[in-house]
Amino acid sequence: MNKYLSIFDSNIAKARSLSTIYINLRDNVGIEEEYNCNLLKAQLVNVVSAFDMLVHNVVKHGVIEIFTKTRKQTPKFQIFSFQAKTVMKLMEVMTPGFMPSTPDEIPEVILERDLSNRLSYMSFQHPDKVVDALSLIWSEQHKLQTLAVDIGLAGITDNDKVANLKQKLETIIQRRNQIAHEGDIDPTTMLPRTIDINDVKDATDFVESLGHSIFRNIMNPECYN
């Protein structure tokens, strides 16, 4: 699992470096903001992609851990279905005495490919979808509350903290979608939307903290047999 957190950290660091380039071009080269701000927009898109990849990776690996009996089963895993061809292949390669001759005959590899194909069509960015995905490998009933408290979000009550988490993540995802799917054009003015470096920094810091909190919680010893 640790390699997936390392990949996440590397992707966040690469995204964050775009702000450094932005500042250098703004202060030392004099690139017009109209063009230079695209670096900040790219940073936001890459940060969300890094988060999406982290959730994909840990869920996929966590399911394999459950199958190999190192991680505890969750209620959602117990009703999760694999493709019939995957089940048939697993039955074949797990027959007593069977000796794999290629990586395609190793149970973990078979599962990983099945899950990769299945999850490749899904997006784990919106809070509800993140919770749904994590339910495969993490039995905690109040996931958003646990995460919100863990990263120290503001709020008088735990419900306030959850609302804060959802609002922050949804705002970031909405902004990302405006950039990635709408050309970041304001439909009322037909002009490019502006973007602030401090807002991008805050979004990057928040997503980084959330990713680390997810990782800490799914790696809790209570999740393992």
Side-chain angles (χ1 to χ4, degrees):
M1 280 283 202
N2 288 330
K3 68 179 180 180
Y4 300 125
L5 184 63
S6 296
I7 292 171
F8 175 69
D9 286 339
S10 176
N11 287 337
I12 291 292
K14 290 175 183 176
R16 189 175 271 120
S17 69
L18 294 173
S19 283
T20 303
I21 300 172
Y22 167 87
I23 292 171
N24 181 59
L25 292 176
R26 180 193 65 189
D27 296 347
N28 300 320
V29 181
I31 299 295
E32 293 182 20
E33 180 66 15
E34 177 183 357
Y35 304 105
N36 201 24
C37 69
N38 287 325
L39 288 167
L40 300 180
K41 296 178 181 183
Q43 177 174 332
L44 192 62
V45 171
N46 289 341
V47 163
V48 173
S49 295
F51 179 74
D52 195 329
M53 178 183 289
L54 175 69
V55 177
H56 270 87
N57 283 338
V58 298
V59 168
K60 182 170 58 178
H61 189 79
V63 168
I64 293 173
E65 287 181 332
I66 293 174
F67 187 85
T68 57
K69 302 186 185 304
T70 56
R71 177 180 287 271
K72 293 178 181 177
Q73 292 187 26
T74 66
K76 186 173 179 63
F77 173 84
Q78 292 173 348
I79 60 172
F80 185 74
S81 61
F82 290 96
Q83 294 180 339
K85 65 178 182 181
T86 298
V87 175
M88 297 296 291
K89 187 66 176 179
L90 287 171
M91 291 173 61
E92 175 189 348
V93 303
M94 295 180 72
T95 302
F98 182 88
M99 295 294 292
S101 58
T102 70
D104 292 340
E105 296 175 337
I106 298 173
E108 290 84 352
V109 173
I110 296 170
L111 283 171
E112 195 277 336
R113 290 184 177 174
D114 180 288
L115 291 166
S116 292
N117 290 335
R118 195 95 56 90
L119 300 181
S120 65
Y121 300 100
M122 303 178 185
S123 174
F124 300 140
Q125 299 173 7
H126 188 278
D128 293 341
K129 292 185 177 180
V130 172
V131 167
D132 188 52
L134 292 176
S135 293
L136 280 168
I137 63 170
W138 184 27
S139 294
E140 169 60 47
Q141 292 186 350
H142 306 289
K143 293 177 179 62
L144 292 183
Q145 176 179 314
T146 299
L147 296 172
V149 172
D150 186 41
I151 62 180
L153 286 181
I156 297 175
T157 68
D158 286 349
N159 285 339
D160 292 337
K161 295 173 183 178
V162 170
N164 193 359
L165 186 154
K166 294 183 73 171
Q167 186 272 329
K168 282 179 176 290
L169 186 55
E170 288 171 359
T171 297
I172 292 169
I173 300 308
Q174 180 184 37
R175 191 71 180 90
R176 178 264 178 195
N177 289 341
Q178 289 172 342
I179 296 168
H181 301 307
E182 301 174 8
D184 208 28
I185 300 297
D186 186 332
T188 60
T189 65
M190 296 309 296
L191 296 174
R193 293 184 176 91
T194 59
I195 191 165
D196 183 82
I197 188 171
N198 292 319
D199 291 340
V200 174
K201 179 184 183 304
D202 289 344
T204 302
D205 292 344
F206 170 75
V207 170
E208 182 178 37
S209 296
L210 182 58
H212 275 258
S213 180
I214 288 173
F215 190 82
R216 280 194 299 272
N217 279 282
I218 66 167
M219 293 299 290
N220 189 310
E222 294 183 358
C223 295
Y224 287 87
N225 292 317

